[in-house]
Coordinates of all heavy atoms in Angstrom, one line a residue:
T21 N -2.7 3.7 -11.1 CA -1.3 4.2 -11.1 C -0.9 4.5 -9.7 O -1.7 4.8 -8.8 CB -1.2 5.4 -12.0 OG1 -1.9 6.5 -11.4 CG2 -1.7 5.2 -13.4
V22 N 0.4 4.5 -9.5 CA 1.0 4.8 -8.2 C 0.6 6.3 -7.9 O 0.3 6.6 -6.8 CB 2.5 4.6 -8.2 CG1 3.2 5.3 -7.0 CG2 2.9 3.1 -8.3
T23 N 0.7 7.1 -9.0 CA 0.3 8.6 -8.8 C -1.1 8.7 -8.3 O -1.4 9.5 -7.4 CB 0.5 9.3 -10.1 OG1 1.9 9.2 -10.5 CG2 0.2 10.8 -10.0
E24 N -2.1 8.0 -8.8 CA -3.5 8.0 -8.4 C -3.6 7.6 -6.9 O -4.3 8.3 -6.2 CB -4.3 7.1 -9.3 CG -4.5 7.5 -10.7 CD -5.2 6.4 -11.5 OE1 -5.1 5.2 -11.2 OE2 -5.9 6.8 -12.5
I25 N -3.0 6.5 -6.6 CA -3.1 6.0 -5.2 C -2.5 7.0 -4.2 O -3.0 7.3 -3.2 CB -2.6 4.6 -5.1 CG1 -3.4 3.7 -6.1 CG2 -2.6 4.1 -3.7 CD1 -4.9 3.6 -5.9
A26 N -1.3 7.5 -4.6 CA -0.6 8.4 -3.7 C -1.5 9.6 -3.5 O -1.6 10.1 -2.3 CB 0.7 8.8 -4.3
A27 N -2.1 10.2 -4.5 CA -2.9 11.3 -4.4 C -4.1 11.1 -3.5 O -4.5 11.9 -2.6 CB -3.4 11.8 -5.7
Q28 N -4.7 9.9 -3.7 CA -5.9 9.5 -2.8 C -5.5 9.5 -1.4 O -6.3 9.8 -0.5 CB -6.5 8.2 -3.3 CG -7.2 8.2 -4.6 CD -7.6 6.9 -5.1 OE1 -7.6 5.9 -4.3 NE2 -8.0 6.8 -6.3
L29 N -4.3 9.0 -1.1 CA -3.9 8.8 0.3 C -3.2 9.9 0.9 O -2.9 10.0 2.1 CB -3.1 7.5 0.4 CG -3.8 6.2 0.0 CD1 -2.8 5.0 0.1 CD2 -5.0 5.9 1.0
G30 N -2.8 10.9 0.1 CA -2.0 12.0 0.6 C -0.6 11.7 0.9 O 0.0 12.3 1.9
V31 N 0.0 10.8 0.2 CA 1.4 10.4 0.4 C 2.1 10.5 -0.9 O 1.5 10.8 -2.0 CB 1.5 8.9 0.9 CG1 0.8 8.8 2.3 CG2 1.0 7.9 -0.1
S32 N 3.4 10.4 -0.9 CA 4.2 10.6 -2.1 C 4.2 9.3 -2.9 O 3.9 8.2 -2.4 CB 5.7 10.9 -1.7 OG 6.3 9.7 -1.2
R33 N 4.5 9.4 -4.2 CA 4.6 8.3 -5.1 C 5.7 7.3 -4.6 O 5.5 6.1 -4.7 CB 4.9 8.8 -6.5 CG 3.8 9.5 -7.2 CD 4.1 10.0 -8.6 NE 5.2 11.1 -8.5 CZ 6.4 11.0 -9.0 NH1 6.8 9.9 -9.6 NH2 7.2 12.0 -8.8
Q34 N 6.8 7.9 -4.1 CA 7.9 7.1 -3.6 C 7.4 6.2 -2.4 O 7.8 5.0 -2.3 CB 9.1 7.9 -3.1 CG 9.7 8.6 -4.3 CD 9.1 9.9 -4.7 OE1 8.1 10.3 -4.2 NE2 9.7 10.6 -5.7
T35 N 6.5 6.7 -1.6 CA 6.0 5.9 -0.5 C 5.2 4.7 -1.0 O 5.4 3.6 -0.5 CB 5.1 6.8 0.4 OG1 5.9 7.8 1.0 CG2 4.4 6.0 1.5
V36 N 4.3 5.0 -1.9 CA 3.5 3.9 -2.5 C 4.4 2.9 -3.2 O 4.2 1.7 -3.0 CB 2.4 4.4 -3.4 CG1 1.6 3.3 -4.1 CG2 1.4 5.3 -2.7
S37 N 5.3 3.3 -3.9 CA 6.3 2.4 -4.6 C 7.1 1.6 -3.6 O 7.3 0.4 -3.8 CB 7.3 3.2 -5.5 OG 6.6 3.8 -6.5
G38 N 7.4 2.2 -2.5 CA 8.1 1.5 -1.4 C 7.3 0.4 -0.8 O 7.7 -0.7 -0.5
W39 N 6.0 0.7 -0.6 CA 5.0 -0.3 0.0 C 4.9 -1.5 -1.0 O 5.0 -2.6 -0.6 CB 3.6 0.3 0.2 CG 3.5 1.3 1.2 CD1 4.4 1.6 2.2 CD2 2.5 2.3 1.4 NE1 4.0 2.6 3.0 CE2 2.8 3.1 2.5 CE3 1.3 2.5 0.6 CZ2 2.0 4.1 2.9 CZ3 0.5 3.6 1.1 CH2 0.8 4.4 2.2
R40 N 4.8 -1.2 -2.3 CA 4.7 -2.2 -3.3 C 6.0 -3.1 -3.3 O 5.9 -4.3 -3.3 CB 4.5 -1.6 -4.7 CG 4.4 -2.7 -5.7 CD 4.2 -2.1 -7.1 NE 4.1 -3.1 -8.1 CZ 3.9 -2.9 -9.4 NH1 3.7 -1.6 -9.8 NH2 3.8 -3.9 -10.2
S41 N 7.1 -2.5 -3.2 CA 8.4 -3.3 -3.2 C 8.5 -4.1 -2.0 O 8.9 -5.3 -2.1 CB 9.6 -2.3 -3.3 OG 9.6 -1.6 -4.5
R42 N 8.1 -3.6 -0.8 CA 8.2 -4.4 0.4 C 7.2 -5.5 0.4 O 7.5 -6.6 0.8 CB 8.0 -3.5 1.6 CG 9.2 -2.6 1.8 CD 9.2 -2.0 3.2 NE 8.0 -1.3 3.6 CZ 7.7 0.0 3.5 NH1 8.6 0.8 3.0 NH2 6.6 0.5 3.9

Side-chain angles (χ1 to χ4, degrees):
T21 67
V22 169
T23 301
E24 290 171 334
I25 300 305
Q28 288 175 12
L29 297 175
V31 299
S32 71
R33 290 178 292 114
Q34 291 83 358
T35 296
V36 176
S37 293
W39 293 342
R40 180 180 178 179
S41 295
R42 290 197 307 267

